[in-house]
């Protein structure tokens, strides 16, 4: 099966984080890194590509950060996956000289069909759908801080 790469998972988590936490001010990348435990070196690269694709919009400066590029009901998981796939294709060359005629004529076409079917399914799942699933599990709220003990005056 096509694999879920780290970059793909990080991209999905970043978009969901922005969907949950954007408010009056944009969501800062440092806050995404902290909440989702995404290494900064991956996150910045992925965020830039998501902005270029129109999935996120970015604002520079001290009050800068990220917002969704459009309504979360109009952003699909398939779009996010395609952004990362293009990013990975830039850094991971695909050597078509490897493999036999059997691989090129039978295995790769079958694999491509499976991938296309999976992408069709991913195109039916929106960021809003994932937000609703997370809310149903209580995952959209920040973790509760431990209660501070109260001391009675003696």
């Amino acid at each position: 099966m096509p694999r879920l790469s780290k970059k793909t998972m990080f991209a999905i988590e970043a978009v969901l984080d922005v969907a949950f936490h954007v408010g009056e001010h944009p969501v800062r990348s440092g806050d995404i890194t902290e909440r989702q435990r995404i290494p900064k070196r991956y996150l910045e690269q992925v965020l830039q590509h998501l902005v270029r694709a129109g999935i996120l919009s970015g604002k520079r400066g001290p009050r800068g950060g990220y917002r969704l590029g459009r309504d979360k009901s109009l952003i699909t998981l398939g779009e996010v996956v395609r952004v990362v796939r293009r990013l990975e294709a830039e850094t991971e060359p695909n050597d078509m000289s490897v493999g036999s005629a059997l691989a090129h004529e039978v295995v790769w076409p079958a694999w491509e069909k499976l991938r296309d079917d999976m992408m069709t399914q991913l195109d039916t799942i929106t960021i809003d759908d994932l937000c609703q699933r997370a809310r149903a599990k209580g995952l959209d709220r920040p973790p509760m801080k431990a209660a501070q003990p109260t001391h009675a005056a003696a």
Side-chain angles (χ1 to χ4, degrees):
M1 273 293 131
R3 65 183 178 86
L4 179 61
S5 70
K6 278 192 223 179
K7 283 184 184 176
T8 302
M9 180 58 85
F10 293 157
I12 295 166
E13 287 176 309
V15 173
L16 283 172
D17 188 279
V18 171
F20 281 137
H21 295 98
V22 74
E24 184 179 325
H25 300 290
V27 177
R28 296 176 346 168
S29 64
D31 292 337
I32 298 170
T33 297
E34 188 176 307
R35 283 189 292 262
Q36 305 307 327
R37 298 185 199 121
I38 300 172
K40 218 169 182 39
R41 69 180 184 274
Y42 286 114
L43 183 63
E44 290 300 331
Q45 184 182 39
V46 166
L47 289 173
Q48 290 171 12
H49 282 77
L50 291 167
V51 167
R52 280 189 220 127
I55 294 170
L56 296 179
S57 65
K59 179 182 176 189
R60 296 182 188 270
R63 294 219 174 224
Y66 298 90
R67 295 183 180 279
L68 294 178
R70 56 190 181 278
D71 189 87
K72 61 188 169 191
S73 66
L74 301 175
I75 301 170
T76 69
L77 209 45
E79 288 180 89
V80 177
V81 169
R82 282 183 193 88
V83 166
V84 177
R85 188 183 288 165
R86 284 191 297 271
L87 173 61
E88 290 173 337
E90 291 173 7
T91 58
E92 297 174 13
N94 188 5
D95 188 355
M96 291 304 286
S97 67
V98 175
S100 66
L102 188 60
H104 289 280
E105 299 299 323
V106 177
V107 178
W108 283 114
W111 197 260
E112 288 297 313
K113 169 84 171 82
L114 285 171
R115 191 176 78 191
D116 290 346
D117 291 347
M118 182 184 77
M119 292 307 298
T120 298
Q121 286 294 315
L122 291 174
D123 284 335
T124 67
I125 302 169
T126 67
I127 295 303
D128 189 40
D129 295 332
L130 295 181
C131 287
Q132 288 178 31
R133 290 178 193 181
R135 276 189 195 96
K137 293 182 179 287
L139 299 174
D140 61 326
R141 295 178 291 278
M144 298 282 288
K145 292 184 178 178
Q148 299 293 326
T150 55
H151 299 286

